[in-house]
């Protein structure tokens, strides 16, 4: 899937300034892992689960994931080069399903529309593809659940996490 480069000229934070959408690959793994871990700390606290996979993923695992042909990863960078948000998409071999995961925003910039911009761009790149986009989040992730519902995702089911809370599975059909 080619989502191309896009420029978002809105000043998202009052200090960060314009951000640009960029494709992420193996060379970005270290910076992406740092962003991912910072962003998931609040999720771990909300769910009482410090063993969340985004927190335990290794640099080697993430580097290999970013090298996969089945994965598209992109993010938002400031003019100064700071990666401030990212998301990953994995498409099934038949192209019918896209799993959206690890939508992360730097903690100091959360609540300023970066996650919405990234999600909007990802969905626009999939528009008309006839795919079903799936994702999951923890049941105590109220902001995530509100964000995904605003974009039309509907809960399909819940599954136990094994750590005392449920994962909320959601989907959006782009047919």
């Amino acid at each position: 899937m080619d989502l191309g480069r896009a420029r978002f000229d809105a000043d998202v934070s009052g200090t960060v300034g314009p951000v640009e959408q960029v494709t992420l690959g193996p060379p970005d793994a270290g910076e992406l892992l740092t962003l991912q871990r910072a962003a998931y700390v609040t999720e771990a606290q909300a769910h009482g689960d410090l063993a969340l996979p985004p927190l335990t993923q290794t640099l080697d695992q993430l580097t290999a994931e970013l090298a996969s042909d089945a994965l598209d990863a992109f993010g938002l960078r400031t003019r100064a080069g700071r990666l401030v948000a990212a998301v990953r998409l994995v498409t099934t071999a038949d192209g019918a399903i896209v799993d959206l995961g690890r939508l992360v925003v730097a903690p100091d910039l959360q609540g300023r529309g970066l996650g919405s911009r990234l999600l909007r761009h990802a969905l626009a790149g999939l528009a008309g593809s006839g795919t079903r986009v799936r994702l999951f989040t923890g049941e105590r992730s109220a902001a995530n659940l509100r964000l995904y519902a605003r974009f039309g995702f509907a809960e399909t089911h819940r599954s136990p996490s094994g750590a005392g809370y449920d994962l909320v599975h959601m989907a959006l059909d782009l047919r």
Side-chain angles (χ1 to χ4, degrees):
M1 156 188 1
D2 181 16
L3 295 174
R5 295 176 73 84
R7 184 162 188 77
F8 301 107
D9 287 321
D11 186 351
V12 297
S13 73
T15 58
V16 170
V19 293
E20 182 177 22
Q21 187 258 311
V22 295
T23 299
L24 301 173
D28 302 298
E31 186 178 17
L32 179 55
L33 187 61
T34 300
L35 174 62
Q36 174 178 299
R37 287 182 176 165
Y40 270 92
V41 167
T42 55
E43 293 300 305
Q45 291 171 334
H47 292 87
D49 185 1
L50 295 177
L52 293 175
L55 294 177
T56 61
Q57 185 174 33
T58 68
L59 180 60
D60 287 343
Q61 290 168 334
L62 180 54
T63 301
E65 184 179 331
L66 291 171
S68 169
D69 289 337
L71 178 112
D72 289 297
F74 57 99
L76 298 176
R77 281 196 187 280
T78 65
R79 280 191 182 152
R82 179 183 174 203
L83 183 65
V84 294
V87 67
R88 289 175 242 175
L89 304 170
V90 178
T91 305
T92 58
D94 64 3
I97 297 174
V98 174
D99 289 314
L100 187 144
R102 309 262 166 104
L103 176 61
V104 294
V105 176
D108 63 316
L109 297 175
Q110 290 175 358
R112 296 191 173 131
L114 292 171
S116 293
R117 288 172 189 267
L118 209 47
L119 186 54
R120 187 175 303 110
H121 189 70
L123 295 176
L126 296 169
S129 64
T131 60
R132 178 173 199 158
V133 181
R134 301 182 305 193
L135 58 84
F136 66 88
T137 191
E139 68 179 343
R140 299 178 195 145
S141 301
N144 294 354
L145 292 167
R146 282 192 307 271
L147 171 68
Y148 299 136
R150 253 192 351 259
F151 276 84
F153 284 86
E155 183 175 333
T156 58
H157 66 284
R158 291 180 180 225
S159 63
S161 68
Y165 60 91
D166 283 346
L167 299 175
V168 180
H169 298 261
M170 304 177 86
L172 173 66
D173 287 320
L174 298 175
R175 302 182 203 291

